[in-house]
DNA sequence: GACTTGTCAGGGTG
DNA sequence: CCACCCTGACAAGT
């Protein structure tokens, strides 16, 4: 199927040498700016937040090999090659299916053809006259966030090569920093009592910082695949796509590039953001009708008089791309199902412009229209969203559905049970229970009391003892996103008089996401979500029966293989979820090692919730966090799960089970109780538990 | 350096 | 309580 009509358009700069990227692999050298010093010793300006010798934090979960790819393949096992159910969306494009796991940038520019035809969707054109223009590029605003004047100078941990060309690990690193920063800025703003000097746009603030401080990657602009960005990846802000090089303009919908000097003066389109979302008519997921840009004459905030669009800039680039036949990245903006105010950007892979025409817009002016067709052979992304939408609307039932709601109404949202793999139609029986069962009194903590807030606890309230226990910061943003990891997260509990809608009760309110328990290929049942999950979002707690060490030992000695043990006493590799020190003046003040007052062992074998279905991975997308709150003047620790990064729908959720220190798996094949790990990660330790 | 692009949050209204 | 509209402030790239 090679060699279709399209020539392989390779822009001058796109023919980069992949071996160069390979050479750069020892990522994260600490010396970015000075060439030839890629393996410098610890840089004094870099606060040693991490644990690695070079001071660079082991940023993505657990482990060291620098060649690690962050979501190496949680997907492979979820793949259902056939059938109506779009397979999980996280994987590389790769019509060349060889080694897709390793270097997405390796496969480049194959000729695709044979496009499908379908109906249309279109990008909504919002007409908005932008108003005041202040060109003062001041950075002052008196806040401590953009500190250029004082003390800390940040030196990007990324080498200049890494800034130019990325990979999965770098992309995750950049996104992690962006969002950690953004969350912290939100938190700082929320804390302020006076609403003066409010930073309304934490995303822009965080974006500006990572861009200017060079915590960004894939800065070199290119046609086609962006190394490290996978089809199906989701973004919550335009700046995130800027920072990883997927789509450079911070506002405009069309990214394009004009040939740099090599005689090729034609602009070509690189990527487009379609903000329309789902459109009225039934639409094929591999077709996109896209409107050109411009036409909203808004100069000098004269009331928006619309004008004909001109064949220039992005419009011209799309036109030229039609002739070049080059691949154009498509990002589709979709409305989130859970919070309708939020827009999510889904990277839907590569398309080609097949047709263009002009139309009369509503105001009677000319609008350019472009029809793009998706390059075949790419894993589904937007199609997954469409399928989910149909499941939710009941238009088509979920294939392989075994049970509508395995919680029988215990959770606020149903959790379905799905098997598309084999004939197993039931779970081994257990009792669904949404939280912990302390069967005997654990008076291991001194008695304590909740806060005295009368209504919902307010960020910045210095009198709220629950906030005080969290170090003075409200642990969640106003929309319930965890800001940072805590040694121990203090939530308001039943003892607290504050109202149930207090924002400091996130982990107690049950499952909010539309989850499904599904049969994996080789790892039993697993858990995934129909809804997209953003970084820091609460997923569920680990429910079950609290047992003591004696009971655990009894189980082990009795040869009972309880796969549903959660044990804080295991060894867990540390990982970093915060931003790099120095990006803003204040360094992250939360220690990312847990401090749990007593060893908590939970068995979810007989009693549990959805948490018991989350499988292990050595490269997880979920982390656990101990949460404590009061009940009858006693403190109880719970285990809550949060998303490490943004998680696209239908991606299996996994966390790191840790390893029992009792068994030192000297050679990982020993006859010990450890489980052989099938996570497939390049960082896989080979065993777990 | 001016200009072009629309985004996101917040507040008000229906 | 929500969905929707309006407004203000604004970053990156050409």
């Amino acid at each position: 199927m090679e060699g279709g009509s399209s020539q392989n358009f390779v822009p001058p700069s796109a023919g980069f040498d992949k071996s160069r990227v390979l050479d750069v692999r020892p990522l994260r050298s600490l010396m970015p700016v000075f060439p030839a010093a890629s393996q410098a010793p610890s840089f004094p300006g870099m606060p040693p937040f991490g644990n690695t010798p070079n001071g660079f934090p082991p940023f993505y979960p657990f482990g060291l090999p620098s060649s690690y790819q962050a979501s190496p393949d949680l997907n492979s096992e979820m793949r259902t090659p056939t059938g109506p159910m779009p397979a999980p969306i996280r994987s590389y494009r790769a019509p060349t299916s060889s080694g897709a796991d390793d270097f997405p940038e390796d496969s480049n520019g194959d000729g695709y053809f044979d496009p499908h035809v379908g109906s249309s969707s279109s990008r909504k054109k919002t007409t908005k006259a932008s108003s005041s223009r202040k060109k003062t590029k001041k950075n002052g605003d008196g806040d401590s966030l953009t500190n250029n004047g004082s003390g800390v100078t940040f030196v990007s941990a990324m080498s200049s090569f890494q800034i130019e060309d990325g990979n999965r690990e770098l992309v995750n690193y950049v996104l992690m920093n962006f969002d950690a920063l953004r969350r912290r800025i939100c938190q700082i703003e929320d804390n302020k009592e006076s609403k003066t000097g409010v930073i309304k746009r934490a995303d822009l603030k965080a974006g500006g910082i990572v861009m200017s401080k060079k915590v960004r990657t894939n800065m070199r602009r290119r046609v086609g695949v962006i190394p490290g960005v996978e089809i199906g990846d989701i973004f919550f802000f335009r700046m995130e796509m800027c920072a990883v090089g997927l789509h450079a303009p911070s506002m405009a919908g069309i990214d394009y590039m004009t040939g740099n000097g090599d005689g090729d003066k034609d602009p070509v389109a690189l990527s487009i953001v379609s903000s329309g979302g789902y459109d009225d008519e039934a639409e094929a997921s591999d077709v996109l009708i896209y409107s050109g840009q411009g036409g909203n004459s808004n100069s000098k905030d004269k009331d928006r008089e619309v004008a004909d669009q001109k064949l220039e800039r992005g419009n011209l680039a799309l036109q030229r791309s039609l002739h070049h036949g080059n691949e154009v990245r498509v990002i589709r903006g979709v409305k989130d199902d859970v919070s309708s105010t939020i827009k999510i950007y889904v990277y839907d892979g590569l398309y080609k412009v097949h047709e263009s025409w002009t139309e009369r817009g509503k105001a009677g002016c000319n609008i350019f229209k472009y029809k793009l067709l998706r390059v075949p052979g790419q894993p589904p992304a937007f199609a997954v969203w469409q399928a989910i939408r149909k499941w939710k609307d009941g238009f088509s039932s979920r294939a392989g559905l075994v049970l509508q709601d395995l919680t029988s109404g215990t959770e606020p949202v149903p959790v379905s049970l799905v098997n598309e793999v084999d004939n197993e139609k039931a779970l081994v029986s257990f009792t669904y229970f949404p939280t912990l069962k302390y069967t005997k009194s654990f008076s291991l903590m001194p008695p304590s009391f909740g806060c005295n807030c009368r209504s919902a606890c307010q960020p910045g309230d210095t009198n709220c003892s629950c906030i005080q226990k969290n170090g003075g910061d409200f642990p969640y943003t106003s929309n319930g996103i965890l800001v940072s990891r805590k040694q121990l997260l203090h939530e308001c509990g039943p003892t607290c008089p504050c109202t149930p809608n207090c924002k400091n009760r996130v982990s107690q309110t049950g499952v909010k996401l539309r989850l499904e328990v599904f049969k994996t290929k080789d790892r039993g049942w697993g858990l995934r979500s129909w809804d997209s999950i953003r970084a820091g979002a609460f997923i569920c707690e680990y429910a079950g029966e609290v047992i003591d060490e004696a009971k655990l030992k009894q189980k082990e000695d009795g040869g009972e293989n309880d796969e549903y043990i959660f044990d804080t006493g295991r060894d867990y590799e540390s990982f970093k979820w915060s931003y790099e020190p120095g990006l803003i003046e204040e360094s992250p003040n939360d220690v990312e090692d847990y401090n749990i007052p007593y060893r908590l062992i939970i068995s979810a074998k007989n009693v549990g919730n959805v948490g018991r279905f989350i499988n292990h991975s050595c490269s997880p997308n979920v982390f656990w966090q101990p949460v404590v709150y009061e009940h009858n003047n006693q403190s109880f620790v719970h285990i809550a799960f949060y998303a490490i990064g943004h998680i696209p729908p239908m991606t299996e959720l996994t966390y790191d089970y840790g390893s029992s220190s009792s068994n030192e798996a000297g050679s990982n094949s020993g006859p010990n109780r450890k489980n052989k790990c099938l996570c497939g990660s390049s960082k896989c330790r080979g065993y777990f538990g």
Side-chain angles (χ1 to χ4, degrees):
Chain A
M1 298 293 260
E2 305 279 312
S5 52
S6 55
Q7 59 285 63
N8 297 335
F9 172 81
V10 179
S13 55
F16 74 100
D17 180 4
K18 55 199 175 202
S19 65
R20 206 176 104 222
V21 177
L22 287 168
D23 288 339
V24 175
R25 280 253 37 165
L27 304 173
R28 308 293 173 62
S29 54
L30 280 176
M31 282 304 215
V33 267
F34 315 112
S38 59
Q39 286 298 340
S42 181
F43 189 79
M46 289 286 297
F49 205 92
N51 315 346
T52 49
N54 65 357
F56 199 92
F59 150 73
Y60 216 168
F62 321 147
L64 308 170
S66 58
S67 59
Y68 157 65
Q69 287 239 330
S71 73
D73 237 347
L74 305 177
N75 306 310
S76 52
E77 134 279 350
M78 292 192 288
R79 218 111 263 263
T80 46
T82 59
M85 152 50 197
I89 50 195
R90 264 187 178 238
S91 36
Y92 293 120
R93 82 166 194 147
T96 55
S97 57
S98 66
D101 211 6
D102 280 328
F103 299 100
E105 66 268 33
D106 281 358
S107 55
N108 211 356
D110 306 87
Y112 310 111
F113 66 103
D114 198 14
H116 301 167
V117 182
S119 58
S120 65
S121 83
S122 71
R123 158 175 171 262
K124 265 200 198 81
K125 217 156 88 64
T126 50
T127 313
K128 189 72 42 167
S130 97
S131 43
S132 67
R133 46 192 59 241
K134 278 201 193 92
K135 277 292 112 169
T136 39
K137 178 96 173 186
K138 51 100 182 192
N139 64 340
D141 40 351
D143 64 67
S144 59
L145 297 174
T146 51
N147 63 295
N148 287 328
S150 57
V152 195
T153 28
F154 176 77
V155 177
S156 172
M158 296 169 60
S159 75
S160 50
F161 294 120
Q162 294 168 343
I163 291 168
E164 287 294 301
D165 298 293
N167 57 40
R168 189 61 173 168
E169 186 180 11
L170 289 168
V171 163
N172 282 320
Y173 173 72
V174 168
L175 292 176
M176 188 84 73
N177 270 281
F178 169 85
D179 206 60
L181 215 45
R182 190 193 62 79
R183 292 189 306 265
R184 176 60 182 147
I185 293 168
C186 282
Q187 185 181 52
I188 291 170
E189 291 309 308
D190 288 346
N191 283 347
K192 285 185 184 161
E193 280 186 48
S194 68
K195 292 298 176 189
T196 55
V198 179
I199 301 172
K200 291 180 176 170
R201 294 290 301 272
D203 60 318
L204 292 184
K205 201 69 167 185
I209 292 169
V210 297
M211 297 297 269
S212 63
K213 307 246 171 151
K214 294 282 185 281
V215 180
R216 57 181 297 186
T217 189
N218 290 314
M219 200 172 168
R220 191 171 59 67
R221 301 154 59 66
R222 71 200 78 198
V223 168
V225 171
I226 299 296
V229 179
E230 300 176 2
I231 294 171
D233 278 354
I234 58 174
F235 304 87
F236 286 76
F237 297 95
R238 293 287 302 254
M239 292 304 294
E240 292 180 312
M241 296 187 284
C242 294
V244 300
L246 182 61
H247 185 81
S250 58
M251 300 170 98
I254 305 171
D255 191 10
Y256 62 98
M257 187 172 72
T258 313
N260 19 354
D262 287 3
D264 194 357
K265 284 282 165 52
D266 269 358
V268 287
L270 305 179
S271 57
I272 58 176
V273 176
S274 158
S275 294
Y278 304 98
D279 250 33
D280 356 354
E281 2 177 357
E283 66 199 52
S285 56
D286 50 3
V287 183
L288 177 64
I289 308 293
Y290 192 78
S291 302
Q293 63 186 186
N296 323 323
S297 156
N298 58 2
S299 55
K300 289 293 172 200
D301 52 339
K302 292 283 189 289
D303 289 33
R304 45 169 130 89
E305 33 182 83
V306 271
D308 285 348
Q309 291 185 347
K310 299 197 187 96
L311 192 58
E312 57 183 22
R313 303 173 194 279
N315 298 344
L316 179 62
L318 279 169
Q319 193 66 43
R320 290 288 177 262
S321 286
L322 169 63
H323 295 125
H324 276 297
N326 67 288
E327 298 157 331
V328 178
R329 299 184 293 272
V330 167
I331 299 108
R332 296 194 185 239
V334 295
K335 273 216 189 109
D336 189 19
D337 280 340
V338 271
S339 61
S340 59
T341 48
I342 284 185
K343 187 189 285 177
I344 300 175
Y345 297 98
V346 183
Y347 175 47
D348 198 32
L350 303 177
Y351 282 62
K352 285 183 183 178
V353 188
H354 268 247
E355 203 182 328
S356 73
W357 65 93
T358 59
E359 273 180 26
R360 288 254 169 236
K362 281 180 187 143
C365 298
N366 276 336
I367 296 175
F368 286 98
K369 292 277 188 177
Y370 301 89
K371 179 178 186 175
L372 292 96
L373 299 180
R374 195 165 194 253
V375 172
Q378 305 177 93
F382 180 57
V384 175
W385 288 71
Q386 289 180 308
I388 292 169
R389 164 61 55 91
K390 285 179 183 157
W391 302 338
K392 285 188 173 177
D393 289 347
F395 293 143
S396 70
S397 69
R398 176 81 178 89
L401 185 71
V402 176
L403 254 183
Q404 197 68 244
D405 180 15
L406 64 86
T407 83
S408 310
T410 309
E411 299 283 3
V413 179
V415 178
S416 43
L417 181 67
V418 172
N419 187 348
E420 296 179 287
V421 174
D422 56 33
N423 291 321
E424 190 174 344
K425 290 291 185 205
L427 299 168
V428 176
S429 143
F430 73 102
T431 303
Y432 197 95
F433 190 74
T435 183
L436 285 186
K437 272 194 168 162
Y438 277 86
T439 46
K440 62 177 169 181
S441 182
F442 275 73
S443 42
L444 298 160
M445 289 180 78
S448 66
F449 302 90
C451 62
N452 291 314
C453 303
R454 305 188 130 250
S455 59
C457 299
Q458 291 300 325
D461 182 354
T462 48
N463 295 320
C464 171
S465 62
C466 292
I467 297 178
Q468 285 169 12
K469 286 181 209 159
N470 283 309
D473 288 322
F474 204 82
Y476 296 103
T477 64
S478 55
N479 49 4
I481 301 294
L482 184 67
V483 174
S484 57
R485 296 170 69 212
K486 299 267 176 196
Q487 292 198 307
L488 192 56
L489 171 55
H490 295 265
E491 288 196 354
C492 295
T495 309
C496 301
C498 56
T499 52
N501 66 343
C502 169
K503 293 272 170 46
N504 194 25
R505 296 171 179 273
V506 170
S507 78
Q508 306 159 39
T509 47
V511 174
K512 292 286 191 345
L513 300 161
R514 184 64 174 83
L515 300 173
E516 82 173 21
V517 173
F518 73 105
K519 188 73 188 281
T520 67
K521 242 191 219 152
D522 55 1
R523 292 189 289 159
W525 299 94
L527 187 68
R528 60 189 174 191
S529 169
W530 291 11
D531 295 318
S532 58
I533 307 173
R534 62 190 292 184
F538 169 71
I539 295 166
C540 65
E541 82 164 287
Y542 196 93
E545 294 172 296
V546 176
I547 61 175
D548 56 21
E549 293 180 41
K551 175 79 175 171
L552 178 66
K553 188 153 195 325
Q554 185 189 325
K555 276 175 180 272
E556 287 172 351
D557 293 347
E560 175 186 350
N561 187 17
D562 187 344
E563 302 173 316
Y564 299 101
I565 293 288
F566 187 99
D567 180 3
T568 61
R570 287 182 187 166
D571 291 334
Y572 296 93
E573 303 201 25
S574 63
F575 83 101
K576 179 163 150 51
W577 196 54
S578 193
Y579 54 88
E580 291 297 345
L583 280 176
I584 57 178
E585 186 161 274
E586 118 198 326
S587 287
N589 52 6
D590 290 305
V591 182
E592 299 202 69
D593 290 319
Y594 298 135
N595 183 9
I596 309 166
Y598 52 88
R599 180 176 176 186
L600 177 61
I601 308 170
I602 306 166
S603 169
K605 187 175 185 181
N606 302 314
V607 172
N609 70 346
V610 286
R612 73 199 287 281
F613 294 106
I614 306 180
N615 282 317
H616 162 85
S617 171
C618 301
S619 304
N621 50 18
V622 170
F623 68 86
W624 60 274
Q625 160 77 48
V627 179
V628 66
Y629 44 90
E630 263 64 53
H631 200 312
N632 298 331
N633 299 340
Q634 238 184 299
S635 295
F636 292 102
V637 178
H638 296 251
I639 301 300
F641 292 112
Y642 299 86
I644 293 175
H646 306 325
I647 305 175
M650 303 307 284
T651 305
E652 180 173 8
L653 307 179
T654 53
Y655 70 97
D656 190 319
Y657 282 16
S659 51
S660 314
S661 39
S662 54
N663 277 322
E664 275 308 324
S667 66
N668 19 344
S669 62
N672 52 46
R673 275 185 295 275
K674 286 184 190 300
N675 302 288
K676 190 178 173 212
C677 182
L678 300 170
C679 78
S681 157
S682 58
K683 283 183 117 174
C684 183
R685 300 190 298 265
Y687 63 90
F688 65 87

Coordinates of all heavy atoms in Angstrom, one line a residue, chain A residues 394-420:
Chain A
G394 N -26.6 6.1 24.4 CA -27.3 4.9 24.3 C -27.7 4.6 22.8 O -28.5 3.7 22.6
F395 N -27.0 5.3 21.9 CA -27.3 5.0 20.5 C -26.8 3.6 20.1 O -27.4 2.9 19.3 CB -26.8 6.1 19.6 CG -27.4 7.4 19.8 CD1 -26.7 8.6 19.8 CD2 -28.8 7.4 20.1 CE1 -27.4 9.8 20.0 CE2 -29.5 8.6 20.2 CZ -28.7 9.8 20.2
S396 N -25.7 3.3 20.6 CA -25.1 2.0 20.3 C -24.6 1.5 21.6 O -24.0 2.2 22.4 CB -24.0 2.1 19.3 OG -22.9 2.7 19.9
S397 N -24.9 0.2 21.9 CA -24.5 -0.3 23.2 C -23.0 -0.7 23.1 O -22.4 -0.9 22.1 CB -25.3 -1.5 23.5 OG -25.0 -2.6 22.7
R398 N -22.5 -0.7 24.2 CA -21.0 -1.0 24.4 C -20.9 -2.5 24.1 O -21.5 -3.4 24.7 CB -20.7 -0.8 25.8 CG -19.3 -1.1 26.2 CD -18.3 -0.1 25.8 NE -16.9 -0.4 26.2 CZ -16.1 -1.1 25.4 NH1 -16.5 -1.6 24.2 NH2 -14.9 -1.4 25.8
A399 N -20.0 -2.8 23.1 CA -19.8 -4.1 22.7 C -19.1 -4.9 23.9 O -18.3 -4.3 24.6 CB -18.8 -4.2 21.5
G400 N -19.5 -6.1 24.1 CA -18.9 -6.9 25.2 C -19.4 -6.6 26.6 O -18.8 -7.0 27.5
L401 N -20.5 -5.8 26.6 CA -20.9 -5.4 27.9 C -21.5 -6.6 28.7 O -22.3 -7.3 28.2 CB -22.1 -4.3 27.8 CG -22.6 -3.8 29.1 CD1 -21.6 -2.8 29.7 CD2 -23.9 -3.0 28.8
V402 N -21.0 -6.8 29.9 CA -21.4 -7.9 30.7 C -22.4 -7.4 31.8 O -23.5 -8.0 32.0 CB -20.2 -8.6 31.4 CG1 -20.7 -9.7 32.3 CG2 -19.3 -9.1 30.4
L403 N -22.0 -6.3 32.4 CA -22.8 -5.7 33.5 C -22.9 -4.2 33.3 O -21.9 -3.6 33.0 CB -22.2 -6.0 34.8 CG -22.7 -7.1 35.7 CD1 -21.9 -7.1 37.0 CD2 -24.2 -6.8 36.1
Q404 N -24.1 -3.7 33.5 CA -24.3 -2.3 33.4 C -23.5 -1.5 34.5 O -22.9 -0.6 34.3 CB -25.8 -1.9 33.5 CG -26.2 -0.6 33.0 CD -25.9 -0.4 31.5 OE1 -25.1 0.3 31.1 NE2 -26.7 -1.2 30.7
D405 N -23.8 -2.0 35.7 CA -23.2 -1.3 36.9 C -22.8 -2.3 37.9 O -23.6 -2.8 38.7 CB -24.1 -0.3 37.5 CG -23.5 0.4 38.6 OD1 -22.3 0.4 38.8 OD2 -24.3 1.1 39.4
L406 N -21.5 -2.6 38.0 CA -21.1 -3.6 39.0 C -21.1 -3.1 40.4 O -21.0 -3.9 41.3 CB -19.7 -4.2 38.6 CG -18.5 -3.3 38.6 CD1 -17.9 -3.2 40.0 CD2 -17.5 -3.8 37.7
T407 N -21.3 -1.9 40.6 CA -21.4 -1.4 42.0 C -22.9 -1.4 42.5 O -23.1 -1.0 43.6 CB -20.9 0.1 42.1 OG1 -22.0 1.0 41.7 CG2 -19.7 0.3 41.2
S408 N -23.8 -1.8 41.6 CA -25.2 -1.8 41.9 C -25.7 -0.5 42.6 O -26.4 -0.5 43.6 CB -25.5 -3.0 42.9 OG -25.0 -4.2 42.4
G409 N -25.2 0.6 42.0 CA -25.7 1.9 42.5 C -25.0 2.4 43.7 O -25.3 3.4 44.3
T410 N -24.0 1.7 44.2 CA -23.2 2.2 45.3 C -22.4 3.4 45.0 O -22.3 4.3 45.8 CB -22.2 1.1 45.8 OG1 -22.9 -0.1 45.9 CG2 -21.6 1.5 47.1
E411 N -21.9 3.5 43.8 CA -21.2 4.7 43.4 C -22.2 5.6 42.7 O -23.2 5.2 42.1 CB -20.0 4.4 42.4 CG -19.0 3.4 43.0 CD -18.0 4.1 44.0 OE1 -18.2 5.3 44.2 OE2 -17.1 3.5 44.5
P412 N -21.9 6.9 42.8 CA -22.7 7.9 42.1 C -22.8 7.7 40.6 O -23.8 8.1 39.9 CB -22.1 9.2 42.4 CG -20.9 9.0 43.2 CD -20.8 7.5 43.5
V413 N -21.8 7.1 40.0 CA -21.8 6.8 38.6 C -21.6 5.3 38.3 O -20.9 4.7 39.1 CB -20.6 7.6 37.9 CG1 -20.5 7.4 36.5 CG2 -20.6 9.1 38.3
P414 N -22.3 4.8 37.4 CA -22.2 3.4 37.1 C -20.8 3.0 36.7 O -20.1 3.7 36.0 CB -23.2 3.1 36.0 CG -23.5 4.4 35.4 CD -23.3 5.4 36.5
V415 N -20.4 1.8 37.0 CA -19.1 1.2 36.6 C -19.5 -0.1 35.8 O -20.0 -1.0 36.4 CB -18.2 0.9 37.7 CG1 -16.9 0.2 37.2 CG2 -17.9 2.1 38.6
S416 N -19.2 -0.1 34.5 CA -19.7 -1.2 33.8 C -18.6 -2.3 33.7 O -17.4 -2.0 33.9 CB -20.1 -0.8 32.3 OG -19.2 0.1 31.8
L417 N -19.0 -3.4 33.4 CA -18.1 -4.6 33.2 C -18.1 -5.0 31.8 O -19.2 -5.3 31.2 CB -18.5 -5.7 34.2 CG -17.7 -7.0 34.2 CD1 -16.3 -6.7 34.7 CD2 -18.3 -8.1 34.9
V418 N -17.0 -5.1 31.2 CA -16.9 -5.3 29.7 C -15.9 -6.4 29.4 O -14.8 -6.4 30.0 CB -16.5 -4.0 29.0 CG1 -16.3 -4.3 27.5 CG2 -17.6 -3.0 29.1
N419 N -16.2 -7.3 28.6 CA -15.3 -8.3 28.1 C -15.4 -8.4 26.6 O -16.3 -9.0 26.1 CB -15.6 -9.6 28.8 CG -14.5 -10.7 28.5 OD1 -13.6 -10.4 27.6 ND2 -14.5 -11.8 29.2
E420 N -14.3 -8.0 26.0 CA -14.3 -8.1 24.5 C -13.2 -9.1 24.1 O -12.8 -9.2 23.0 CB -14.0 -6.8 23.9 CG -15.0 -5.8 24.0 CD -14.6 -4.5 23.4 OE1 -13.7 -3.7 23.9 OE2 -15.2 -4.2 22.3

